[in-house]
């Protein structure tokens, strides 16, 4: 606490010394069932053997050698190929970054550069990162206000509101939207609404940017969240699980869009460590494990199991989309007591930024049925004591 900058006055301050699968272990040897998963980072589980093997192999080859894009780095090329092979044909060019927030920044720049427009539409209770550009589109004045002035030309609308569709014009550079709102507490769009966004963007030459930084890599039961809604974005944002536990983000678009960064000015978007070879090797191994080991097959059953075991008069509702659940209570105070009791009894969970009265469940996708049952037992006891 004396030397590491803190982001709140009351951090959890758990000293985790080991992680394996869906479990964490602290310095006292206490075991925790991880219902946070590093906020949807550890989709394939902590320290998946294939990920560790890929990291070790890359360590024996090279670490950082040159700023992104200058050298041919095999892990970048191979991972970009794997990603695009599992995406619609128009999403064929990958720009790797260090994080999801940086992917947001790059996509915003690309939209403005490609369209020669400046206006951006975003959504209330959205979260896309904490850097200045991402903060400008974040959907909460509480977080924005302390850091003004921010980017001009940003319009915010309610998620699922058709007022948004009417606001998209030939002056709009992009609409940036979470395929499923995460920090709002797992809010699912209506299919009609998100398809209307896609249609109006196409009609006006506006780029549709889908943020799948939390939604991606099987969290919803499909590889990509947009598959549920039968749309394809112009730009896709990835992060969190992209690196298999290593820091990695990306924005993906058609090559005809990406070439906007190559001249006027040259090096229109650059990064030193984006697409670090070790991170790309780890991420590719994680994605292969996700696909090869059929981790998405049991998502629906695991979702249903959580919902069947969490039933209590204090629970107002449970919103879910795959292994991503928001358990709603009357207030943050009630939720916080339940969370504290869960952690004290070996289940790690927390709340959502824009839904502090909701308990977060986003475990590694490999969590077992027995671990789900054990975790739910602790949650139910915590509700009773809260």
């Amino acid at each position: 606490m004396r030397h590491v900058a803190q982001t709140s006055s009351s951090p959890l301050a758990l000293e985790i010394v080991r992680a394996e699968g869906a479990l964490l272990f602290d310095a006292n040897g206490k075991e925790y069932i991880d219902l946070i998963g590093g906020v949807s980072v550890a989709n394939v589980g902590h320290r998946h053997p294939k990920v560790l093997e890929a990291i070790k192999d890359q360590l024996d080859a090279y670490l950082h050698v040159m700023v992104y894009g200058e050298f041919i780095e095999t892990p970048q090329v191979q991972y970009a190929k794997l990603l695009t092979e599992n995406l619609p044909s128009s999403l064929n060019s990958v720009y790797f970054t260090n994080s999801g927030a940086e992917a947001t920044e790059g996509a915003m720049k690309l939209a403005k550069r490609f369209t020669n427009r400046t206006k951006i539409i975003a959504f209330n209770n959205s979260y896309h990162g904490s850097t200045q550009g991402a903060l400008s589109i974040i959907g909460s004045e509480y977080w924005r206000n302390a850091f003004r002035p921010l980017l001009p030309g940003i319009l915010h609308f309610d998620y699922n509101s058709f007022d948004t569709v009417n606001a998209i014009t030939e002056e709009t550079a992009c609409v940036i939207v979470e395929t499923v709102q995460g920090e709002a507490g797992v809010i699912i769009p209506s299919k009609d609404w998100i398809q209307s966004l896609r249609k109006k963007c196409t009609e006006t030459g506006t780029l549709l940017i889908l943020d799948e930084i939390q939604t991606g890599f099987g969290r919803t039961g499909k590889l990509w969240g947009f598959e549920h809604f039968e749309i394809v974005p112009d730009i896709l944002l990835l992060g969190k699980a992209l690196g298999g536990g290593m820091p990695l983000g990306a924005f993906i678009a058609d090559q005809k869009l990406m070439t906007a960064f190559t001249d006027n000015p040259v090096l229109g978007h650059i990064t030193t460590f984006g697409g670090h070879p070790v991170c790309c090797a780890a991420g590719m191994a994680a994605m292969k494990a996700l696909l090869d080991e059929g981790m998405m097959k049991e998502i629906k059953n695991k979702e249903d199991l959580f919902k069947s075991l969490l039933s209590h008069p204090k629970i107002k509702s449970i919103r879910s989309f795959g292994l991503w659940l928001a358990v709603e209570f009357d207030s943050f105070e009630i939720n916080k007591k339940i969370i504290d009791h869960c952690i004290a009894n070996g289940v790690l969970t927390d709340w959502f930024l824009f839904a502090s009265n909701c308990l977060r469940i986003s475990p590694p996708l490999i969590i077992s049925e027995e671990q789900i049952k054990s975790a739910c037992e602790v949650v139910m006891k915590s509700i009773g004591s809260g």
Side-chain angles (χ1 to χ4, degrees):
M1 299 267 183
R2 290 172 59 191
H3 304 295
V4 177
Q6 299 298 309
T7 57
S8 81
S9 59
S10 55
L12 282 178
L14 293 176
E15 186 177 358
I16 301 300
V17 298
R18 187 165 65 88
E20 202 80 41
L23 299 176
L24 304 174
F25 302 86
D26 70 16
N28 298 315
K30 184 175 179 177
E31 177 183 295
Y32 300 84
I33 299 174
D34 184 7
L35 295 189
I36 302 177
V39 190
S40 299
V41 168
N43 282 19
V44 300
H46 296 282
R47 300 181 69 248
H48 189 286
K50 294 294 184 183
V51 173
L52 298 185
E53 182 183 3
I55 290 172
K56 291 172 183 176
D57 288 346
Q58 186 57 40
L59 290 179
D60 288 336
Y62 57 87
L63 301 179
H64 174 76
V65 288
M66 186 57 173
V67 294
Y68 177 78
E70 291 297 321
F71 286 4
I72 297 171
E73 297 188 14
T74 301
Q76 290 175 356
V77 176
Q78 290 181 337
Y79 196 12
K81 182 174 183 288
L82 178 64
L83 285 164
T84 57
E85 286 173 347
N86 287 277
L87 283 165
S89 61
S90 59
L91 296 172
N92 52 52
S93 183
V94 182
Y95 193 113
F96 287 114
T97 63
N98 296 285
S99 67
E102 290 181 39
T104 301
E105 297 283 347
M108 291 170 70
K109 285 176 63 179
L110 181 60
K112 291 162 77 172
R113 178 70 183 85
F114 183 79
T115 64
N116 288 314
R117 305 172 186 177
T118 58
K119 293 184 178 179
I120 294 174
I121 288 176
F123 294 89
N124 295 322
N125 291 335
S126 62
Y127 184 80
H128 305 285
S130 290
T131 47
Q132 288 276 296
L135 185 62
S136 299
I137 59 173
I138 197 174
S140 171
E141 186 58 23
Y142 171 79
W143 271 274
R144 291 193 305 259
N145 188 52
F147 302 100
R148 291 190 179 280
L150 297 169
L151 288 180
I154 312 294
L155 296 174
H156 286 88
F157 290 87
D158 288 339
Y159 198 76
N160 270 324
S161 168
F162 279 87
D163 290 343
T164 314
V165 179
N166 298 327
I168 302 168
T169 71
E170 284 76 8
E171 295 182 346
T172 312
C174 64
V175 175
I176 180 165
V177 57
E178 293 168 277
T179 310
V180 174
Q181 279 200 319
E183 295 308 313
V186 191
I187 306 297
I188 302 166
S190 76
K191 194 171 184 178
D192 285 347
W193 176 73
I194 203 163
Q195 287 185 345
S196 295
L197 286 185
R198 171 68 278 177
K199 184 174 183 288
K200 189 66 178 291
C201 284
T202 301
E203 290 172 353
T204 58
T206 301
L207 299 184
L208 178 62
I209 302 174
L210 288 186
D211 180 341
E212 298 230 0
I213 291 167
Q214 287 197 63
T215 319
F217 296 94
R219 177 62 51 189
T220 67
K222 292 182 181 288
L223 190 57
W224 316 113
F226 63 78
E227 294 179 86
H228 293 278
F229 305 103
E230 298 174 9
I231 61 168
V232 176
D234 296 297
I235 305 175
L236 179 67
L237 305 184
L238 298 177
K240 301 295 187 187
L242 179 68
M246 297 291 284
L248 190 64
F251 56 103
I252 304 177
D254 194 295
Q255 197 167 43
K256 69 182 181 183
L257 271 71
M258 285 295 193
T259 54
F261 279 151
T262 62
D263 63 281
N264 293 320
V266 67
L267 304 177
H269 194 64
I270 52 177
T271 171
T272 298
F273 292 113
H276 192 283
V278 176
C279 300
C280 284
M284 181 169 61
M287 185 172 180
K288 285 183 176 178
L290 177 73
L291 296 171
D292 295 345
E293 296 175 20
M295 294 182 191
M296 291 181 283
K297 291 179 181 177
E298 293 300 315
I299 296 294
K300 179 61 178 170
N301 290 339
K302 291 176 181 179
E303 174 189 5
D304 290 343
L305 181 59
F306 266 113
K307 292 169 76 172
S308 70
L309 295 172
L310 295 174
S311 177
H312 193 281
K314 288 186 179 179
I315 296 176
K316 292 184 65 179
S317 70
I318 298 178
R319 295 188 297 275
S320 68
F321 202 172
L323 264 182
W324 203 13
L325 298 88
V327 183
E328 183 181 5
F329 299 99
D330 276 327
S331 67
F332 168 73
E333 290 71 25
I334 292 172
N335 191 30
K336 181 65 164 61
K337 287 179 182 178
I338 293 166
I339 288 168
D340 289 346
H341 193 273
C342 283
I343 294 171
N345 287 276
V347 171
L348 187 65
T349 181
D350 68 347
W351 61 91
F352 295 86
L353 279 181
F354 308 126
S356 62
N357 63 322
C358 295
L359 181 144
R360 182 193 306 268
I361 297 177
S362 58
L365 305 184
I366 50 83
I367 189 171
S368 69
E369 290 191 1
E370 287 306 309
Q371 288 169 333
I372 292 172
K373 290 174 183 176
S374 296
C376 287
E377 185 177 343
V378 171
V379 173
M380 291 299 291
K381 287 181 180 177
S382 300
I383 294 172
S385 67

